[in-house]
Amino acid sequence: MRRIAYGVAAAMALLGAIARVGVAPARADADITADFGMSLPPGYRDWRLISVAHEEGKLNDIRAILGNDIAIKAYRDGALPFPDGAIIARLAWNYTSSEENNKAFGGPQSFVAGTPTNVQFMLKDSRKYASTGGWRFVQFDDGKPVEAARLSGCFACHLPVKARDFVFTKYSP
Amino acid sequence: MRRIAYGVAAAMALLGAIARVGVAPARADADITADFGMSLPPGYRDWRLISVAHEEGKLNDIRAILGNDIAIKAYRDGALPFPDGAIIARLAWNYTSSEENNKAFGGPQSFVAGTPTNVQFMLKDSRKYASTGGWRFVQFDDGKPVEAARLSGCFACHLPVKARDFVFTKYSP
């Protein structure tokens, strides 16, 4: 019975929260769009995984690509173009040899994520960013936004994957 | 007002769900532990990211390490040993050169996740699996569980990281 009482109390609290959301709907989404590019989107580190990759060369990173709920749903549904509100995050870390893992594996074969390099995001708003395929590209170095001029080449680089709504990363099952 | 009504209806439905959970608590967790190793843990592909890695050699894969809520909380709190119920998932895909990405970057530098290889899990139950550091190790090939004999070496391999409760992967911010 005590558990039921807790459940009821929790539900009543939630009821209040939901009623408040009802009065000021979609507050969180609106804020993300409005502030997008000014600060890291809240909760992005909790987003679900789309895929992983490794870049050699100057970047020399290992990366995870995450998506907010709208992006993940679109990927899983195979729905293109991505709907407005979709956000794709690319987190990258320095590509780092792991001595500890190599010992366990018995050979120099293991590479892990070291210190973070930067975080990039693509936000879909088909009207607001119509001139760049409906996407806004932003980047954060140490949590601070990079000036737009440095990102002016993003869209041109993504043009070859126009057929996938300008998104390189494919979903990994 | 209609939004508030929706909110109230949703909350009432949730109230019922919570009351039911109150009567039969922790059903989902109990099921995961009971069936663990028989089938892929429900929803594991939605778990949050711990880190990423690349293994060369025979494995030649690129991998993501995900955690259920209990595991993620322990990582972020820096709490060791991991509490019972923590599950860590290692998803791996064939390490695949991306021609498409290479063209965009202007050089042969990009490696992505190809077809899945297998999925491994560590489940913490300090009493049930006391003889292997409190962890049970399981693996699924094409969604089917691998026989226990093939995994008998897992714990020995994890012994060098006893100080981190036998877990190799560190959390990547």
Side-chain angles (χ1 to χ4, degrees):
Chain A
M1 268 315 281
R2 228 167 63 189
R3 278 210 173 98
I4 293 174
Y6 285 148
V8 171
M12 294 312 288
L14 204 63
L15 185 68
I18 289 171
R20 282 193 297 278
V21 170
V23 174
R27 182 73 178 272
D29 287 351
D31 282 352
I32 279 181
T33 306
D35 296 342
F36 195 76
M38 307 294 284
S39 56
L40 288 160
Y44 79 93
R45 187 59 185 74
D46 291 332
W47 292 353
R48 286 176 282 177
L49 181 76
I50 298 166
S51 193
V52 292
H54 163 50
E55 297 300 331
E56 293 182 347
K58 274 188 201 168
L59 291 169
N60 197 33
D61 67 41
I62 188 161
R63 39 182 64 196
I65 297 88
L66 310 181
N68 69 351
D69 289 347
I70 298 172
I72 291 287
K73 187 179 185 317
Y75 263 115
R76 292 182 179 174
D77 292 349
L80 287 178
F82 285 88
D84 286 355
I87 310 179
I88 297 168
R90 194 278 285 136
L91 293 71
W93 300 271
N94 285 302
Y95 189 63
T96 305
S97 172
S98 168
E99 271 311 302
E100 189 172 68
N101 292 8
N102 288 342
K103 274 184 203 161
F105 278 116
Q109 68 166 69
S110 189
F111 298 87
V112 299
T115 50
T117 62
N118 61 53
V119 188
Q120 294 181 333
F121 295 90
M122 291 173 68
L123 163 69
K124 188 71 185 278
D125 187 325
S126 50
R127 282 160 303 178
K128 207 166 171 184
Y129 311 121
S131 65
T132 50
W135 290 101
R136 180 166 177 204
F137 300 84
V138 299
Q139 176 177 323
F140 295 86
D141 295 355
D142 289 324
K144 288 175 218 99
V146 161
E147 61 267 39
R150 272 183 57 198
L151 305 172
S152 59
C154 289
F155 178 57
C157 190
H158 280 249
L159 272 174
V161 283
K162 185 179 177 182
R164 291 205 309 279
D165 199 21
F166 309 102
V167 174
F168 280 101
T169 303
K170 295 170 186 168
Y171 183 86
S172 292
Chain B
M1 266 317 282
R2 230 164 66 187
R3 280 210 171 97
I4 294 174
Y6 286 147
V8 170
M12 292 313 287
L14 203 64
L15 185 68
I18 290 169
R20 282 192 297 278
V21 169
V23 174
R27 182 73 178 270
D29 285 353
D31 283 352
I32 279 182
T33 305
D35 296 341
F36 194 76
M38 308 293 284
S39 56
L40 289 160
Y44 79 94
R45 186 59 186 74
D46 290 332
W47 292 353
R48 286 175 282 176
L49 181 77
I50 298 166
S51 193
V52 292
H54 164 50
E55 295 300 333
E56 292 182 349
K58 274 188 201 168
L59 291 170
N60 197 33
D61 66 40
I62 188 161
R63 37 181 64 196
I65 297 88
L66 311 181
N68 70 351
D69 289 347
I70 298 172
I72 291 286
K73 186 179 185 320
Y75 263 114
R76 291 182 180 174
D77 292 348
L80 287 177
F82 285 88
D84 286 355
I87 310 179
I88 297 168
R90 192 280 283 135
L91 293 72
W93 300 271
N94 286 303
Y95 189 63
T96 306
S97 171
S98 169
E99 271 312 303
E100 188 173 69
N101 292 8
N102 289 341
K103 274 183 202 159
F105 278 117
Q109 68 166 69
S110 187
F111 299 87
V112 298
T115 50
T117 62
N118 61 54
V119 187
Q120 294 182 333
F121 296 90
M122 293 173 67
L123 163 68
K124 188 71 184 280
D125 186 325
S126 51
R127 283 162 302 177
K128 206 166 172 184
Y129 311 120
S131 66
T132 48
W135 291 101
R136 180 166 176 205
F137 300 83
V138 299
Q139 177 177 322
F140 294 86
D141 295 354
D142 288 324
K144 288 176 219 99
V146 161
E147 60 267 40
R150 271 183 57 196
L151 305 172
S152 59
C154 288
F155 178 57
C157 190
H158 281 249
L159 272 173
V161 282
K162 185 179 177 183
R164 291 206 308 278
D165 197 23
F166 309 102
V167 173
F168 280 100
T169 303
K170 296 171 185 166
Y171 183 85
S172 292

